[in-house]
């Protein structure tokens, strides 16, 4: 099941990357590259950090075609995308949660300590979006919006907690997934957000 | 032959990095670092992605001196560089093509699948310029100019195609190189460019 | 001793990251992430470049808690931080020097050539600050301020020079450390800086 969600999720992330590239007037190639990076960049950073070679997507060329294809497709349907906003946010939320769980699994398989497993989950969940924003020369959105990265953290904690309690793996997956999805959708609906740290002291170092 | 072109190419890339650093009023050290990253960053990202350790330039300290030296030298001759624009564009084009072929070769040696080989070629070709632009806080130029990244893609496709047809290696090198160089120079001359995706919907996210 | 300084240094770097995040109005999570990246990002980039797996911090979860905790703490005391500016600059200078020496040691242990050892030292010293600035969408400060990256270079050269002369390891550490600290503090006090390369030719590319 996680694989299906993963495939849907990388498609959604690729589309979000393509839209961001469009806002910077990038060409066809830029759109393809940003789509790819947004969808698969988080997992790539995780693999490189953990030394998990070969990097996942290099073993699944299908993901390359899929994300680039989704980016191209987005160029065609962009003018209708605002009507799809609700669906898009739903799929993006599914992606965030699925990426997080997959990221934890990879680090668990490599026997990393629990805090590293959590960081691997979060990295997989949010770093694609961070790379997208760096490439598009804007401050990463995932660190300023309603609960997003925090949902990734909570999902990782719940998933590892239930695992420590030896809850059945499939049940754990289901519970963690539904919880994360619910949290993210509620955060969007009710505009939950973390306290913001607004620091503005120009005397102090640029 | 590819080695000679490679050496010329990293020199040219280092110079382009130094000019970009100069536009941001960086100090001597910043110029050296950006020159180095622009010239050798693409190959570094490729090596890290493919797990190709040790990273190439760590085994060739000469490349470090060469790129940093080229960056320093650029500071001295910057005021005359606009007269050299034509030569500069030519050398940069040679670099793009040579980097692409070298990148493909590295991935082929490691037995990666064809789409990964192509991505390795493109990464080597364009990521130095992308890192340069990220460090200088601007949207990557290679994704917005006349055909650039696309030339890298076409060269990779041609090189792998001729290889699959078992064309003689040296002939393949020559044909792919001349084709890529011709494409890039024609793209500059006739301002060929890819369709741009201009998306501007402020209601929608961001 | 280097370990104690290292711990103090990552705390200081984490705080500088948190302040930068605050200037971009990031949320709690963004502050934590930027604090972590600023403190441990330099060492991470070094480990990935050198293929030094597992990456250091993944084996010391304490560093994760420490840097994130320091970031959170900074949010609480930010309004008083301008009074601490002198202490902060001192600790940051200690960090720069300690990071550089530690980075050289890692590369030496892996038998890299001398220029690579120097690059590893500098990378460890300055890349956390570069990642911080990239994430906060500003041009890297370390390449534009009074002597900073250059101090890292000088420390690496001195440390390796004394090592080649077979000076006692502890003495070398002490001398290199005091020299680097003195240089950096003098650079701040007397506003020493490198020549800046200001290049401004709009006709030429971009």
């Amino acid at each position: 099941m996680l694989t299906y969600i993963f495939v849907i999720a990388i498609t959604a992330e690729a589309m979000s990357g393509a839209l961001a590239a469009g806002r910077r007037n990038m060409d066809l190639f830029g759109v393809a590259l940003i789509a790819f990076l947004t969808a698969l960049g988080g997992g790539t950073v995780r693999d490189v950090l953990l030394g998990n070679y070969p990097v996942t997507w290099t073993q699944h060329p299908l993901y390359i075609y899929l994300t680039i294809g989704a980016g191209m497709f987005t160029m065609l349907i962009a003018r209708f995308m605002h009507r799809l906003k609700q669906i898009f946010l739903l799929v993006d939320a599914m992606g965030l949660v699925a990426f997080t769980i997959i990221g934890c699994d990879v680090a668990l398989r490599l026997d990393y300590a629990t805090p590293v497993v959590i960081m691997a989950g979060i990295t997989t969940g949010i770093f694609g979006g961070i790379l997208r924003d760096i490439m598009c020369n804007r401050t990463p959105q995932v660190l300023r919006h309603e609960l997003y990265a925090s949902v990734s953290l909570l999902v990782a904690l719940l998933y590892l907690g239930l695992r420590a309690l030896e809850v059945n793996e499939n049940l754990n997956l289901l519970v963690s997934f539904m919880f994360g999805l619910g949290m993210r959708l509620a955060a969007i609906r009710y505009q939950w957000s973390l306290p913001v740290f607004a620091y503005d002291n120009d005397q102090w170092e640029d």
Side-chain angles (χ1 to χ4, degrees), chain A residues 31-147:
Chain A
V31 172
L33 179 68
I34 308 278
F36 174 82
L37 266 180
T38 308
L40 299 174
T44 304
V45 171
R46 175 206 62 218
D47 285 344
V48 168
L49 284 179
L50 302 182
N52 183 39
Y53 287 105
V55 167
T56 310
W57 62 262
T58 65
Q59 308 303 299
H60 299 91
L62 187 65
Y63 297 165
I64 305 177
Y65 303 133
L66 184 65
T67 52
I68 291 177
M72 303 286 94
F73 183 64
T74 306
M75 289 176 70
L76 299 178
I77 62 159
R79 71 185 62 192
F80 312 112
M81 291 271 317
H82 62 280
R83 301 207 195 140
L84 305 173
K85 186 166 181 179
Q86 302 305 322
I87 296 172
F88 194 79
L89 284 174
L90 173 67
V91 178
D92 178 72
M94 290 168 67
L96 174 67
V97 181
F99 280 6
T100 303
I101 296 175
I102 291 169
C104 289
D105 275 341
V106 170
L108 282 170
R109 233 183 302 128
L110 297 168
D111 282 324
Y112 277 99
T114 303
V116 180
V117 172
I118 295 169
M119 305 270 312
I122 297 172
T123 300
T124 315
I126 70 171
F127 240 88
I130 289 177
L131 289 178
R132 174 197 64 207
D133 292 342
I134 289 175
M135 294 287 290
C136 291
N137 198 20
R138 59 181 191 182
T139 304
Q141 301 299 307
V142 299
L143 307 175
R144 303 205 297 182
H145 270 179
E146 325 85 48
L147 296 195

